[in-house]
Amino acid sequence: MSNEPLNKSLSTDEDVIVIKDLNKWYGSFHVLKDINLSVKKGERIVVCGPSGSGKSTMIRCINRLEEFQRGSLIVNGVEMIEDVKNIEAIRREVGMVFQHFNLFPHLTILENLTLGPIWVQKKPKDEAEAIAMKYLERVKIPDQANKFPGQLSGGQQQRVAIARSLCMAPQIMLFDEPTSALDPEMIKEVLDVMVELAEEGMTMLCVTHEMGFAKKVADRVIFMDGGEIVEENTPHEFFDNPETDRLQLFLSQILQH
Amino acid sequence: MREFKPLPAQPAPIDEVGVIGWLKNNLFSTPLNSLVSILIIAFLASVLPALIDWLFISANWVGTSEAACKAEGAGDGACWVFVSAWMQQFIYGSYPDGELWRINTSLIALGAVIAAPYLLPNELRNSVGVPLFLVFPFIGAAFLDGRLFGLEYVSTDYWGGFSLNIFLAAASIIIAFPLSFLWALGRRSEMPFIKSVCIVLIEFFRGVPVLALFFMGSVMLPLFFPEGTNVDKLLRVWIVLILFMSGYMAEVFRGGFQAIPQGQYEAADSLGLSYWQKTLLIIFPQVIKISMPNILATFIMLFKNTTFLLIIGIFEILSTTQTALTNSNWLGGHAAEGYIFVALVFWCCCFGMSMISSNIEKKLDTSHRN
């Protein structure tokens, strides 16, 4: 299978992400093993699995925060190759939200949001600010625009981080455990924003343990373990009829409490 | 329902507040503490009166020559006349009398360039303030030299005094600042050639004593210039100071880089910022903030190191003082006054720099951590 020429990829017009036979090693440790995944435009995919299963690593490969050693990856029609311009082109189309928000602490909320539009998309400042305010309204914190990240709660910071990504008008949004670092009462406000985003048709790849969110919005749920995609199914089938015993065990452990 | 009424506040016990409270808590809180306090107070009581008398009360303040301190009825304290008589030399060196305004203008310009970030509106700060800063050393040097501006030519042999210490330190710091940042970036680079060049540069200039560098500068640097060109001694010193300073600052910056969480780089990357946008917009401001105390310490070290120049025959303030002390009209032993003056001048400047840097630190602090 790996001998097939790469141009015979699974890509169709609709596929915005095509991952084929992706392999990654950290030194001699094999983190990702033959990952195959294609994501259609507008599809919402939730990735779950135990820690160390490679799920974060996989989605971080999509915007090249992690490099991979073998396989191919096509994002929005652009093949990921070892080239700065190419990588920057892909990153402009892919937004990412991190577990620890990663807002820029020395800039105000508004400056955090306008940085990308002004410097990457070369938009004039007032246009960038108008876009920023639009998305701050959408995540329901326009009144915090001139504060610094350190003055906001975790939930507010994560909503700002989502707005910051949206300001770049990405085709695809990646979420890397967006609620794992939040206090329980703040998880909902972030999930609400994500649900809203999903309902608007954004293509989303989301690493999360929020099974309620998966049931509510996911088109497909993917279970990873040991660097492989173990199971992939619709939420209904995924939760009610897990095919592998590994997933059954995982579900029984996380749904117990 | 029972209504809750808070108890009225009562005054604190008398020995917890006010002068008595302060003395009790700070000087006499334990027997050992009391003993140390008493010993220190006794020491001060035995030393201070004589010192104050020598420094101020019996000191001679007015006059123009040593005779004023030797005259009948003159106090037997410090002879500050020595300092005031030599003041022009101490500050301006042998710069011609008629051209001193050029030094004064340059000093004021330096002050203005330093104050520019505070005075300029936000949007001009980077586009005007930074270039102004970077060209200042060159324009200032050309102005003091005079030829380029059609002014009287003053050879660097006549430059000297404390103004030279200030100019050399400022000019070196201004150039070393961006240079060392580049070295620090290079040291973190993934390109092996750039990385090893930067490591060699940093470790060399950090590992060799500054005095050795000065001597090497007078002997070795000319080898790198085209044959036949006579490179000014002061220019060579400037280059040495820049390189020495850069070696230290690069390591200060490296420490700052390491304190920036990986997530900041990833967030900048994921927005599609280029390497230089990421470095200058996201990383640099945070590195500066983290490194500010160490940057200042390096500044002060360099500023004080300019006194080493007396060894290679440049008439900065310390060597001017030594020259004054050996002057045949002032053989009365005024070393104490001279060195106290030098120490005071340096201390004032360094303290001023501390104030500026703590101000910048406050300005940069947006963490709002409590």
Side-chain angles (χ1 to χ4, degrees):
Chain A
M1 178 166 172
S2 55
N3 291 332
E4 276 179 358
L6 287 178
N7 58 10
K8 207 184 152 200
S9 70
L10 303 165
S11 176
T12 69
D13 289 344
E14 275 192 301
D15 285 333
V16 283
I17 301 175
V18 181
I19 302 174
K20 203 155 179 280
D21 298 332
L22 189 83
N23 279 276
K24 177 178 170 61
W25 287 263
Y26 280 126
S28 58
F29 177 61
H30 202 171
V31 211
L32 294 177
K33 301 168 186 163
D34 287 329
I35 301 287
N36 283 288
L37 175 70
S38 44
V39 181
K40 288 188 176 19
K41 192 166 172 49
E43 214 175 2
R44 278 93 53 172
I45 293 180
V46 164
V47 185
C48 61
S51 66
S53 60
K55 52 196 191 309
S56 285
T57 310
M58 182 188 77
I59 74 160
R60 286 157 59 88
C61 281
I62 295 172
N63 65 349
R64 193 50 166 66
L65 290 183
E66 301 281 353
E67 24 185 300
F68 52 89
Q69 282 77 30
R70 223 166 61 202
S72 77
L73 170 60
I74 297 171
V75 181
N76 218 21
V78 184
E79 177 154 13
M80 179 76 76
I81 50 170
E82 221 19 70
D83 174 82
V84 178
K85 288 272 162 279
N86 190 292
I87 292 168
E88 282 172 11
I90 289 175
R91 283 175 176 164
R92 279 197 288 272
E93 302 299 329
V94 180
M96 182 148 196
V97 175
F98 300 87
Q99 179 177 1
H100 295 288
F101 331 135
N102 297 351
L103 296 177
F104 305 127
H106 62 299
L107 300 176
T108 64
I109 299 305
L110 192 62
E111 287 165 339
N112 264 279
L113 266 64
T114 54
L115 191 83
I118 289 176
W119 291 93
V120 179
Q121 299 175 332
K122 312 287 178 206
K123 290 198 167 125
K125 191 167 175 239
D126 40 347
E127 190 187 331
E129 283 180 356
I131 297 172
M133 287 314 293
K134 185 179 101 185
Y135 284 109
L136 277 183
E137 306 260 355
R138 269 198 38 190
V139 298
K140 302 179 185 67
I141 34 176
D143 47 324
Q144 312 282 359
N146 293 313
K147 289 195 183 165
F148 285 95
Q151 293 167 293
L152 270 56
S153 72
Q156 290 174 324
Q157 289 194 46
Q158 192 60 297
R159 283 186 281 155
V160 170
I162 294 174
R164 178 174 69 180
S165 288
L166 293 177
C167 282
M168 298 291 289
Q171 300 292 312
I172 301 154
M173 285 284 284
L174 308 175
F175 293 84
D176 188 2
E177 307 205 24
T179 55
S180 302
L182 294 175
D183 290 340
E185 76 264 35
M186 291 172 182
I187 291 177
K188 186 174 178 299
E189 65 188 50
V190 171
L191 286 180
D192 284 348
V193 170
M194 289 168 63
V195 169
E196 213 174 286
L197 201 59
E199 283 164 357
E200 285 163 20
M202 174 64 79
T203 311
M204 293 166 74
L205 246 90
C206 188
V207 173
T208 184
H209 295 125
E210 297 298 330
M211 291 305 141
F213 174 79
K215 280 178 193 161
K216 194 166 175 183
V217 304
D219 297 309
R220 262 190 293 162
V221 186
I222 289 172
F223 175 66
M224 285 183 74
D225 192 20
E228 291 174 72
I229 294 181
V230 178
E231 204 168 327
E232 184 183 338
N233 223 326
T234 60
H236 183 74
E237 290 293 311
F238 187 91
F239 291 108
D240 296 344
N241 291 313
E243 286 167 18
T244 57
D245 51 351
R246 183 65 193 88
L247 177 55
Q248 271 172 15
L249 178 68
F250 177 75
L251 288 176
S252 70
Q253 276 164 348
I254 62 166
L255 297 177
Q256 245 168 28
H257 54 93
Chain B
M1 196 193 295
R2 192 166 65 92
E3 194 185 346
F4 170 70
K5 269 214 184 103
L7 292 170
Q10 291 175 359
I14 191 73
D15 60 352
E16 287 296 326
V17 288
V19 179
I20 300 172
W22 186 87
L23 284 176
K24 181 179 162 234
N25 286 328
N26 292 290
L27 299 184
F28 302 103
S29 53
T30 64
L32 180 65
N33 201 343
S34 310
L35 181 69
V36 173
S37 299
I38 290 168
L39 284 177
I40 290 175
I41 291 169
F43 174 75
L44 289 178
S46 69
V47 171
L48 270 187
L51 191 64
I52 290 173
D53 180 60
W54 185 84
L55 279 175
F56 303 108
I57 300 167
S58 318
N60 297 289
W61 298 89
V62 243
T64 48
S65 71
E66 198 177 23
C69 299
K70 292 276 169 70
E72 199 64 31
D76 55 357
C79 182
W80 296 120
V81 179
F82 170 73
V83 172
S84 60
W86 284 91
M87 187 60 94
Q88 184 182 336
Q89 289 279 315
F90 286 162
I91 303 295
Y92 301 106
S94 316
Y95 212 79
D97 284 358
E99 303 294 324
L100 290 185
W101 63 273
R102 272 150 66 178
I103 294 188
N104 291 332
T105 312
S106 306
L107 283 173
I108 291 168
L110 176 63
V113 167
I114 293 172
Y118 297 93
L119 303 176
L120 289 171
N122 271 347
E123 56 270 27
L124 292 181
R125 198 173 291 159
N126 292 335
S127 57
V128 176
V130 173
L132 213 61
F133 217 67
L134 293 178
V135 298
F136 174 80
F138 302 101
I139 293 183
F143 185 64
L144 292 177
D145 177 86
R147 280 172 295 184
L148 211 64
F149 289 86
L151 297 164
E152 188 194 329
Y153 169 52
V154 182
S155 155
T156 51
D157 296 340
Y158 298 103
W159 300 14
F162 191 57
S163 57
L164 184 64
N165 293 73
I166 293 180
F167 287 138
L168 263 181
S172 313
I173 288 165
I174 289 172
I175 306 299
F177 200 83
L179 185 65
S180 58
F181 191 73
L182 288 179
W183 286 8
L185 276 180
R187 193 171 186 160
R188 295 171 56 81
S189 165
E190 283 164 16
M191 287 173 269
F193 179 71
I194 292 181
K195 183 173 177 154
S196 33
V197 167
C198 288
I199 290 178
V200 168
L201 283 171
I202 293 170
E203 293 304 332
F204 176 78
F205 286 107
R206 225 165 50 110
V208 178
V210 67
L211 273 179
L213 286 176
F214 283 142
F215 286 123
M216 286 159 94
S218 14
V219 181
M220 277 171 57
L221 265 184
L223 302 178
F224 295 105
F225 293 108
E227 212 164 321
T229 48
N230 177 30
V231 180
D232 192 275
K233 195 202 245 171
L234 212 53
L235 178 62
R236 295 193 305 241
V237 164
W238 186 21
I239 294 174
V240 167
L241 279 174
I242 288 174
L243 295 172
F244 170 72
M245 176 84 180
S246 298
Y248 269 89
M249 289 271 292
E251 288 299 277
V252 168
F253 281 134
R254 192 162 71 104
F257 274 119
Q258 279 170 352
I260 308 282
Q262 192 57 31
Q264 293 290 308
Y265 294 91
E266 292 178 354
D269 281 340
S270 72
L271 282 178
L273 293 173
S274 71
Y275 175 79
W276 286 108
Q277 286 173 339
K278 173 174 72 176
T279 304
L280 294 178
L281 297 170
I282 307 301
I283 307 304
F284 180 67
Q286 298 189 57
V287 167
I288 293 289
K289 184 178 122 187
I290 294 170
S291 318
M292 205 61 212
N294 292 332
I295 290 174
L296 180 83
T298 319
F299 278 9
I300 288 180
M301 178 189 73
L302 179 96
F303 183 43
K304 295 192 298 185
N305 278 355
T306 55
T307 54
F308 287 172
L309 294 175
L310 91 110
I311 303 254
I312 52 169
I314 284 175
F315 285 94
E316 45 67 58
I317 187 168
L318 195 59
S319 62
T320 310
T321 310
Q322 294 210 316
T323 314
L325 287 172
T326 53
N327 185 292
S328 56
N329 294 326
W330 293 90
L331 290 173
H334 303 296
E337 291 91 329
Y339 293 136
I340 287 176
F341 174 70
V342 172
L344 190 69
V345 166
F346 269 98
W347 183 84
C348 287
C349 286
C350 292
F351 186 68
M353 282 158 83
S354 288
M355 303 295 278
I356 293 176
S357 96
S358 66
N359 186 306
I360 295 176
E361 273 171 57
K362 271 189 208 125
K363 211 170 168 164
L364 291 178
D365 185 21
T366 55
S367 63
H368 304 281
R369 264 168 280 168
N370 296 317

